[in-house]
Amino acid sequence: MAQARASQKDAYTLILEAIDGGIYRPGDRLVESELAERFGVSRTPIREALQRLETQSLLTRDGRSLIVASLDHNQMSELYAVRCELEGLAARLAARHATEEEIQVLAEMVDEDRALLNDPTALSRANRRFHKMIHLASHNRFLVQQLDLVHRSMALMATTSLAAEGRGEKALSEHSAIVDAIARRDEDAAYQALRDHISVAFVTRLKLDSLSHG
């Protein structure tokens, strides 16, 4: 029974990571047999994982097929509204609770990520790690859980806002301002800096989407 649970978790995580990594993009059809073959997992845990992803609205039905869901304009706006508040709260709590070591790691991440400015995909992964570190530095497990759900839904966006020209550099200077506020233990400044950062990212994404649909 424990083995079945482990393989179900593995199948779920593997599919989730494949969506998150852009192997399966919004609109792509997911076929049980192909997934089982790709991940070397039997079809039962794959089926259970697909059902779970469907209940979380990460997959949707197209006739009898399951496809990776995509977010329409309204859903994207709703997601960013929630993300803005929750990320801002995480930064506020990080300014209150982060250890000196956590603050040091955040500062080092900003410095190291400068080497990735010409690689939007790598920068996007690094960006997720940076935000996750802030979530953990909030030392609030319930907030971390909610932000995990939000970030899971972010995987349903076909593009990263970091792909926009010049956005990577601006994003890193915004990250730097967030870390400075957390290091100063300035809760209001940390909250505002992270909210502003998410807001700019959303505007950038809307521009990217309008170009791709134009």
Side-chain angles (χ1 to χ4, degrees):
M1 187 68 191
Q3 194 178 354
R5 264 205 304 274
S7 63
Q8 183 188 343
K9 175 181 179 285
D10 289 347
Y12 171 80
T13 305
L14 288 166
I15 298 168
L16 196 57
E17 284 173 355
I19 295 170
D20 205 26
I23 293 167
Y24 297 114
R25 306 183 76 80
D28 285 354
R29 198 159 66 98
L30 296 188
V31 181
E32 254 179 55
S33 55
E34 286 173 16
L35 291 166
E37 197 175 325
R38 175 190 276 271
F39 298 126
V41 180
S42 68
R43 288 179 69 160
T44 303
I46 291 284
R47 189 175 306 130
E48 288 165 355
L50 290 175
Q51 285 168 351
R52 190 173 160 198
L53 288 160
E54 187 184 3
T55 61
Q56 292 176 337
S57 302
L58 293 175
L59 301 180
T60 185
R61 292 218 167 260
D62 180 24
R64 293 187 63 185
S65 303
L66 272 176
I67 61 169
V68 180
S70 52
L71 298 175
D72 64 25
H73 178 82
N74 288 342
Q75 289 169 317
M76 204 174 9
S77 300
E78 289 163 11
L79 184 61
Y80 265 96
V82 170
R83 189 182 171 203
C84 239
E85 288 300 331
L86 293 182
E87 294 262 13
L89 177 59
R92 180 185 290 284
L93 293 176
R96 192 181 306 171
H97 298 301
T99 64
E100 292 304 321
E101 291 80 3
E102 284 168 334
I103 293 169
Q104 188 181 333
V105 168
L106 283 167
E108 285 171 5
M109 280 177 166
V110 175
D111 286 340
E112 287 162 13
D113 292 350
R114 293 191 197 286
L116 308 173
L117 281 172
N118 295 323
D119 187 344
T121 307
L123 196 57
S124 179
R125 276 197 298 271
N127 180 59
R128 279 203 292 277
R129 283 196 298 273
F130 175 80
H131 282 272
K132 180 72 177 179
M133 189 69 216
I134 291 178
H135 306 167
L136 295 173
S138 75
H139 293 272
N140 185 309
R141 75 195 72 177
F142 299 104
L143 181 57
V144 171
Q145 282 170 3
Q146 293 309 311
L147 279 161
D148 278 351
L149 283 174
V150 167
H151 277 259
R152 220 170 280 167
S153 299
M154 297 286 295
L156 301 179
M157 296 181 189
T159 55
T160 166
S161 59
L162 294 166
E165 199 171 332
R167 176 61 196 144
E169 214 156 317
K170 288 199 192 80
L172 285 183
S173 67
E174 289 161 16
H175 282 185
S176 191
I178 294 161
V179 176
D180 286 348
I182 291 172
R184 293 196 315 271
R185 306 290 179 186
D186 188 334
E187 295 179 25
D188 289 344
Y191 171 81
Q192 198 58 51
L194 218 164
R195 275 194 55 123
D196 290 348
H197 170 61
I198 302 296
S199 181
V200 173
F202 183 34
V203 169
T204 307
R205 190 181 290 281
L206 288 175
K207 283 182 186 164
L208 279 176
D209 279 11
S210 68
L211 288 172
S212 66
H213 292 136

